[in-house]
Amino acid sequence: MAKAAGVSPTTVSQAFNGRRTVSRQTLERVHDVAERIGYRPNAVARGLRESRMNVIALVLRPLDTLESFLPEGVDFFMRFAGSAALSAMEHGYSLMLVSDPTKPGAPVSSLAADVCIVTDPFENDPVLTLLKNQHIPALTVGVDPARPGVVPSIDSNTRAETFEVLDHLESAGGTTVGLALGTDRNAWNLTAKRAYVEWCGARGREPIIYENPETRGEAAGERIAAEAFDRVDRVERRPDAIYCLTGRHASGLVAAARSRGIRVPEDLLVAAGSDALQNRTGRPTVTAMDLRPEETARRAVELAVQLFEGSDAELPTSAPGGILRVRESTSRDPVRSASRRRGPSSD
Amino acid sequence: MAKAAGVSPTTVSQAFNGRRTVSRQTLERVHDVAERIGYRPNAVARGLRESRMNVIALVLRPLDTLESFLPEGVDFFMRFAGSAALSAMEHGYSLMLVSDPTKPGAPVSSLAADVCIVTDPFENDPVLTLLKNQHIPALTVGVDPARPGVVPSIDSNTRAETFEVLDHLESAGGTTVGLALGTDRNAWNLTAKRAYVEWCGARGREPIIYENPETRGEAAGERIAAEAFDRVDRVERRPDAIYCLTGRHASGLVAAARSRGIRVPEDLLVAAGSDALQNRTGRPTVTAMDLRPEETARRAVELAVQLFEGSDAELPTSAPGGILRVRESTSRDPVRSASRRRGPSSD
DNA sequence: CTGAAAGCGCTTACAG
DNA sequence: CTGAAAGCGCTTACAG
């Protein structure tokens, strides 16, 4: 390129980066030639020299457990990733989807990013340790439960949201409220469980907890139903409301309950701690906490950019508050129940 | 690192890449030291030297029109991207989501990838031209309709799939079958339209076509319904079946029809050319062509890797055949209709 | 205003 | 088996 325009590499670089003064003439010539021969500065060479690639890495930790990017009925992560990609671009970055970079075969490119967003880290998450060792700035969405302050984070509002859902189930008519959740040791599971136990304690009730590995997916709904309704020895502890932390547990549970002749919401109230499309459109529609993944992702990307570029604006460091979407699965009043037979909810 | 282990950079490099012979002793020492100080070869430097970053870029062209990564009710792209990310990792690559790299503000990192997958390119797509100029190998999912052979591609089976849906609508009882589609000039829209016109011609029928810009989203359903059912001057051309190419058009149309008292499927049959979650779970469920984005993405990634690495295995160069998921919106027989009032379809 | 030199951290011939 | 040298394509002091 330099020789094509008859100038030095220095001048080409300056023409493209506009640092020093380059004469109008030279500037034009360089740009004309660049246009003509389709020259663009090599991003990798620039990256090496400048120690910046303009790439944000995203590690969706729960998916490393699931060993799938496509868990049926989980749209949280795809909504999060999509929004993060868009936000990154608006800040002049690309978004790179990265799987567990501590795994032996992980592509080296996993560590070529300027900054890394890790969602829902596990206790003492090795990914955070690795990033720290490599001096790659990192932030988490939801804290590492074993070391909450180890890196900056967008904090979730799990405690408050858990209370809100449980209170809602109670006011919708639930008297014996169970909790179904996963076994990953991340802040979401651990905080929700603690909040639930606390909530039960305040009411003098014994907690009823159903735990299923995340890998079990919708099938967990069947397990929950079996444990809750099939065991004769537990007939007194039969819940009339179950808070499923994940949308897929909720969907699975609704199906499993129905197959037992248990009606939702008449006999059993069901709510989910994360909203998914099938909760909005299924039958019945399922009340769910909309965690607003798009806005959360936007905040995470902004914090990532700030972390890397070192600006000092005041940014939110907590996720937006969840919004409880009340739907048929917790609505026993006749009006709503009747509407179930007619059209889609206006939700 | 080299000095920490008391060897030359050459030896470190060889120890990590295992090319030449390095004595067992030296090898062990290098790895021990690397472990201790957390050394990993710099991916960017290696990338510059080797002209390979192990990164696959993905440009989802339709999203550049929509100006959103998150069109409500389009899960095709997220399923595609998720599967592509996973496949890329299995081949030792990371997946980078890139928006239109021809746009002025595009991050330079957009062009740092080894190879680029472009889905649904437009006619004479400038992205393909740019990639060609930059000598970045590219492939498309669905051809550039103006220059089908310009780069390798995973070809869609749009023509056959269009016939299959139209035949299905006919056998389900449709006598006047309309087509609703978008205005993006990509192979999907253009091929479907051509196939539809041909199908009508073979039956001596006049085509009935509803075109709406992709940006209009679900609202397009209302426009389609207005055009089809509100205009008195067209009462003879009123369709009793409409094939909506996109899942969101179908959803919007079902809602718009219902709000006019037109029952689906009794008065109007509706099918979609791309399956989305709300088609599976809405009321009524909507018959749709499952384009199998996960498998398509997998093939695209494999072709991308081959293109970049130059292996010569025989790979499929067409998308997997779509599978028609027949649901309530095209099922008039009493059994199925009755089941609508009870439980979720077993689909 | 412009260019020659140095160097970002690697890898690969090449020489020993 | 090991290391010194060159070079991937840039950018940034520095000198003119």
Side-chain angles (χ1 to χ4, degrees):
Chain A
M1 166 64 200
K3 67 185 64 168
V7 295
S8 73
T10 308
T11 303
V12 174
S13 175
Q14 287 176 168
F16 269 87
N17 297 294
R19 303 256 182 251
R20 300 256 175 132
T21 43
V22 180
S23 73
R24 271 183 56 79
Q25 263 194 15
T26 317
L27 195 73
E28 270 170 26
R29 181 146 44 90
V30 170
H31 279 132
D32 284 357
V33 174
E35 178 100 5
R36 187 161 51 73
I37 67 175
Y39 169 83
R40 299 220 174 186
N42 178 307
V44 181
R46 177 189 290 202
L48 176 60
R49 178 60 224 234
E50 301 277 86
S51 302
R52 68 139 63 202
M53 285 298 288
N54 284 282
V55 169
I56 298 174
L58 174 61
V59 184
L60 298 163
R61 279 306 257 157
L63 301 190
D64 290 322
T65 302
L66 296 173
E67 293 186 342
S68 161
F69 250 70
L70 303 156
E72 245 302 278
V74 179
D75 59 12
F76 180 93
F77 296 110
M78 286 302 121
R79 290 168 68 193
F80 187 99
S83 174
L86 200 62
S87 268
M89 286 162 198
E90 282 164 4
H91 287 86
Y93 290 76
S94 297
L95 188 83
M96 200 163 69
L97 297 178
V98 167
S99 76
D100 187 348
T102 63
K103 259 189 292 187
V108 283
S109 46
S110 313
L111 295 174
D114 300 320
V115 51
C116 186
I117 299 172
V118 181
T119 69
D120 299 292
F122 306 135
E123 239 172 15
N124 291 308
D125 201 313
V127 170
L128 297 182
T129 309
L130 171 63
L131 291 169
K132 183 154 222 172
N133 284 343
Q134 300 306 121
H135 305 104
I136 298 171
L139 65 123
T140 60
V141 176
V143 298
D144 179 331
R147 33 179 192 173
V150 70
V151 291
S153 63
I154 301 288
D155 295 326
S156 306
N157 310 292
T158 308
R159 203 179 119 85
E161 286 157 0
T162 304
F163 290 148
E164 187 178 346
V165 176
L166 294 171
D167 289 346
H168 168 71
L169 286 170
E170 191 173 49
S171 69
T175 58
T176 308
V177 181
L179 174 74
L181 75 174
T183 56
D184 274 355
R185 298 193 59 81
N186 58 37
W188 195 42
N189 279 331
L190 297 176
T191 307
K193 186 170 169 181
R194 203 175 317 117
Y196 168 74
V197 170
E198 185 182 333
W199 186 86
C200 289
R203 283 159 180 74
R205 302 214 199 96
E206 205 61 30
I208 307 171
I209 298 178
Y210 310 98
E211 290 190 310
N212 281 279
E214 270 73 2
T215 47
R216 205 163 273 164
E218 293 239 350
E222 181 55 36
R223 302 287 194 113
I224 298 166
E227 225 184 308
F229 304 113
D230 296 352
R231 295 178 56 162
V232 182
D233 57 320
R234 297 214 185 157
V235 77
E236 290 145 33
R237 314 239 30 235
R238 207 164 261 190
D240 58 1
I242 297 183
Y243 175 31
C244 297
L245 213 47
T246 69
R248 55 211 311 231
H249 280 186
S251 288
L253 173 60
V254 167
R258 288 175 149 232
S259 78
R260 285 169 172 74
I262 298 167
R263 294 166 306 164
V264 176
E266 291 83 349
D267 309 322
L268 177 69
L269 302 169
V270 175
S274 173
D275 200 14
L277 188 46
Q278 83 271 36
N279 294 331
R280 294 195 278 287
T281 57
R283 303 177 229 186
T285 55
V286 175
T287 293
M289 182 60 73
D290 180 356
L291 296 172
R292 300 165 69 193
E294 292 88 353
E295 174 61 20
T296 308
R298 214 166 286 132
R299 293 187 186 184
V301 166
E302 277 174 6
L303 187 55
V305 170
Q306 176 176 84
L307 219 57
F308 177 63
E309 297 183 352
S311 102
D312 52 354
E314 280 291 325
L315 288 181
T317 58
S318 74
I323 297 175
L324 187 65
R325 310 285 182 191
V326 178
R327 303 204 181 95
E328 293 165 353
S329 69
T330 62
S331 303
R332 283 181 180 163
D333 62 291
V335 180
R336 274 183 177 271
S337 294
S339 83
R340 280 176 56 213
R341 233 134 269 148
R342 274 193 249 114
S345 81
S346 58
D347 183 36
Chain B
M1 167 64 200
K3 68 184 63 166
V7 295
S8 72
T10 307
T11 304
V12 175
S13 175
Q14 287 175 169
F16 270 87
N17 297 293
R19 304 254 180 252
R20 299 254 176 134
T21 42
V22 181
S23 74
R24 270 184 57 81
Q25 263 194 14
T26 317
L27 195 73
E28 269 170 28
R29 182 145 44 89
V30 171
H31 279 133
D32 284 356
V33 175
E35 178 101 4
R36 187 161 52 72
I37 67 176
Y39 169 84
R40 300 219 175 187
N42 179 306
V44 182
R46 176 188 291 202
L48 175 61
R49 178 60 225 233
E50 300 279 85
S51 303
R52 68 141 60 202
M53 286 295 291
N54 284 282
V55 170
I56 298 174
L58 174 61
V59 183
L60 300 162
R61 280 306 259 157
L63 301 189
D64 290 321
T65 302
L66 295 174
E67 293 185 343
S68 161
F69 250 69
L70 302 157
E72 244 305 277
V74 179
D75 59 11
F76 181 92
F77 297 110
M78 287 301 121
R79 291 168 67 193
F80 188 98
S83 173
L86 198 63
S87 267
M89 286 164 197
E90 282 165 3
H91 288 85
Y93 291 75
S94 297
L95 187 82
M96 200 163 67
L97 297 177
V98 168
S99 75
D100 185 348
T102 63
K103 259 191 291 188
V108 283
S109 45
S110 312
L111 295 173
D114 300 322
V115 50
C116 187
I117 299 172
V118 180
T119 68
D120 298 293
F122 306 136
E123 237 173 15
N124 291 307
D125 202 312
V127 169
L128 296 183
T129 310
L130 172 64
L131 291 169
K132 184 154 222 171
N133 284 343
Q134 300 308 119
H135 305 105
I136 298 171
L139 65 123
T140 60
V141 177
V143 298
D144 179 331
R147 32 179 192 173
V150 69
V151 293
S153 62
I154 302 287
D155 295 325
S156 307
N157 311 293
T158 308
R159 203 179 120 86
E161 285 157 0
T162 303
F163 290 147
E164 187 177 348
V165 177
L166 293 171
D167 289 345
H168 168 72
L169 285 171
E170 191 173 52
S171 70
T175 57
T176 309
V177 181
L179 174 73
L181 77 171
T183 57
D184 273 356
R185 299 192 58 82
N186 57 37
W188 196 40
N189 279 330
L190 297 176
T191 307
K193 187 170 168 180
R194 201 175 318 117
Y196 168 74
V197 169
E198 184 181 333
W199 186 86
C200 289
R203 284 158 181 74
R205 301 215 199 97
E206 204 61 31
I208 308 173
I209 298 178
Y210 310 98
E211 290 190 310
N212 281 278
E214 270 74 2
T215 48
R216 206 163 270 164
E218 293 240 348
E222 180 55 37
R223 303 287 194 112
I224 299 166
E227 227 185 306
F229 304 113
D230 297 352
R231 297 179 55 164
V232 182
D233 58 320
R234 298 212 185 160
V235 76
E236 290 147 31
R237 316 239 28 235
R238 208 164 262 188
D240 58 2
I242 298 182
Y243 175 31
C244 296
L245 213 47
T246 70
R248 56 210 311 231
H249 280 186
S251 288
L253 174 59
V254 167
R258 289 175 148 229
S259 77
R260 284 170 173 73
I262 297 167
R263 294 167 304 164
V264 176
E266 292 83 351
D267 309 322
L268 177 69
L269 301 169
V270 175
S274 172
D275 200 13
L277 188 46
Q278 83 272 34
N279 295 331
R280 296 194 277 286
T281 59
R283 304 177 229 186
T285 54
V286 175
T287 293
M289 182 60 74
D290 180 354
L291 295 172
R292 301 166 68 193
E294 292 86 355
E295 174 60 21
T296 308
R298 212 165 290 131
R299 294 187 185 183
V301 165
E302 277 173 6
L303 187 54
V305 170
Q306 175 177 86
L307 220 55
F308 177 63
E309 298 183 351
S311 102
D312 54 353
E314 281 291 324
L315 289 181
T317 58
S318 72
I323 298 174
L324 187 64
R325 310 286 182 190
V326 176
R327 304 203 181 96
E328 294 165 353
S329 68
T330 61
S331 304
R332 284 182 181 161
D333 64 290
V335 180
R336 274 182 178 271
S337 294
S339 82
R340 278 173 59 211
R341 233 135 271 149
R342 275 192 250 115
S345 82
S346 57
D347 181 38

